[in-house]
Amino acid sequence: MPALFNKSLDESANKSLSVLAVPAFNDNYLWLIHDGRLAAVVDPGDAQPILAALAAHGLTLAAILLTHHHADHVGGVQTLLQHYKVPVFGPAGEAIAGVTSPLREGDTATIPELGLSLSVLDVPGHTSGHIAYVAQGQPWLFCGDTLFAGGCGRLFEGSPAQMVASLAKLASLPGDTQVYCAHEYTISNLRFALAVEPDNARLVERMAAEQAKRARQQATVPSTIALENATNPFLRYLEPSIIASLQDDGRLSAKDGPVAAFAALREWKNNFK
C-alpha cells in the first residue's frame, strides 16, 4: 500500500452515526457506517481490512451494501459472510453472489439495528446495473464508481447517455451532500479538469487544497455535491468553456449534441496523461 495510505483509518462523524474510511488495495476506500457498536460496510472489495477495522473499533458487522459487481467492490463478501451472517444489499440488475436483497431505484435499504435507511438510485454507466445509496436523514451519498471527486467512472458497460442521466441524478442532490466515492483518484481527475477548464478559479483553488491534503497523507474524500458541481468537468460538460476546449482540441463539432460532448470528454480523459 502506498505511503499516502499508511494512515489506515479516517473518520467523520454525523449525529449518532459515523462513516469510517478503510483504505484497501492501492487506492480504494471501503466505507463503514457505524454507531460505535454495529456497522454496515459499503463495497467491501477486501475482507481483511474490514475485519481489522471492526476489531480495532469494537464493531460488529450488521449489513453489507454493494453498488456494483466489480471485484474490488465485492471481493470480500464471501469471507465476511463466513464471520457474520448478515443481509447483503446489492443491485438487482447485476448477478453478485451472496446478495439477499436485490435493489433498484425506488427501493430502500433498511438496517434497523443502526436506525439507518438508504434510498436507492439506478446509476448505470460504469456498469449496466450500478446503484447508489442516499442516506435518509444524513447528507451522505455512497456512489461507488459512478461519481468521483473531480471525475466519473469509465464506461465499461453503459452508454454515454446512461452516464449523463446517472450523473444528473447525483448532481441534483442537495449541495451539502457528502460524496463517498470508492477511489482516491482526485489529483489525477483535477489535473485533467484543469486541462479542460483552466480558467475555473474554484477548480484552481480546489487543486491546491487537495494537493495539500495528500501531502499531509489525508484523504480527499468525501467531497460534496456543491463542490463537484463547481469543479467536476463531467457535471459541467455543457459549460461554454468546456465545449470550447473540446472544439479547440478537435474532439467536438458545432453540430454535435450534449451526449456527444460528454462522450468526447470521457474519451479525452480515457487517454489523458
Side-chain angles (χ1 to χ4, degrees):
M1 187 172 288
L4 286 173
F5 280 78
N6 284 344
K7 184 178 180 182
S8 61
L9 298 171
D10 177 59
E11 190 167 20
S12 61
N14 191 300
K15 298 182 181 178
S16 62
L17 293 176
S18 298
V19 181
L20 191 69
V22 182
F25 309 118
N26 290 327
D27 51 36
N28 282 69
Y29 289 123
L30 320 179
W31 302 108
L32 279 174
I33 309 167
H34 73 92
D35 63 0
R37 187 173 61 90
L38 300 171
V41 62
V42 183
D43 284 349
D46 187 354
Q48 295 311 313
I50 294 301
L51 292 171
L54 292 170
H57 292 265
L59 301 172
T60 298
L61 193 66
I64 296 171
L65 298 155
L66 307 175
T67 62
H68 66 291
H69 67 82
H70 286 163
D72 62 324
H73 293 253
V74 305
V77 170
Q78 295 305 315
T79 298
L80 289 175
L81 290 176
Q82 292 172 13
H83 292 79
Y84 301 96
K85 303 305 180 186
V86 298
V88 181
F89 300 89
E94 298 186 359
I96 303 174
V99 169
T100 58
S101 296
L103 303 169
R104 61 182 73 253
E105 185 159 327
D107 291 338
T108 300
T110 301
I111 306 167
E113 298 90 341
L114 289 172
L116 176 65
S117 294
L118 304 108
S119 301
V120 176
L121 295 175
D122 288 333
V123 287
H126 180 66
T127 64
S128 61
H130 203 303
I131 61 174
Y133 299 91
V134 181
Q136 298 177 5
Q138 308 278 9
W140 299 340
L141 165 68
F142 299 92
C143 53
D145 287 354
T146 297
L147 175 65
F148 291 132
C152 75
R154 284 179 179 259
L155 305 184
F156 287 122
E157 297 172 12
S159 68
Q162 285 180 312
M163 187 62 107
V164 164
S166 295
L167 291 174
K169 291 179 187 179
L170 303 185
S172 69
L173 293 171
D176 65 347
T177 302
Q178 297 178 51
V179 179
Y180 289 94
C181 59
H183 290 274
E184 183 60 72
Y185 289 165
T186 310
I187 300 303
S188 173
N189 286 339
L190 295 184
R191 190 176 299 118
F192 172 70
L194 284 167
V196 171
E197 197 179 16
D199 296 328
N200 182 334
R202 185 77 185 278
L203 176 57
V204 173
E205 176 185 292
R206 182 181 185 184
M207 175 61 114
E210 306 294 23
Q211 286 178 321
K213 289 178 187 175
R214 299 308 285 150
R216 296 192 297 268
Q217 299 187 7
Q218 294 177 349
T220 62
V221 293
S223 173
T224 66
I225 290 296
L227 185 57
E228 294 310 313
N229 279 327
T231 59
N232 187 325
F234 294 100
L235 303 185
R236 299 171 56 78
Y237 66 98
L238 293 181
E239 288 292 319
S241 57
I242 293 181
I243 295 295
S245 289
L246 288 166
Q247 291 176 345
D248 291 347
D249 209 55
R251 297 175 179 275
L252 192 70
S253 70
K255 69 178 188 298
D256 288 327
V259 173
F262 179 88
L265 190 66
R266 182 62 256 185
E267 183 62 26
W268 188 358
K269 176 64 166 68
N270 289 348
N271 299 295
F272 186 76
K273 302 299 183 184

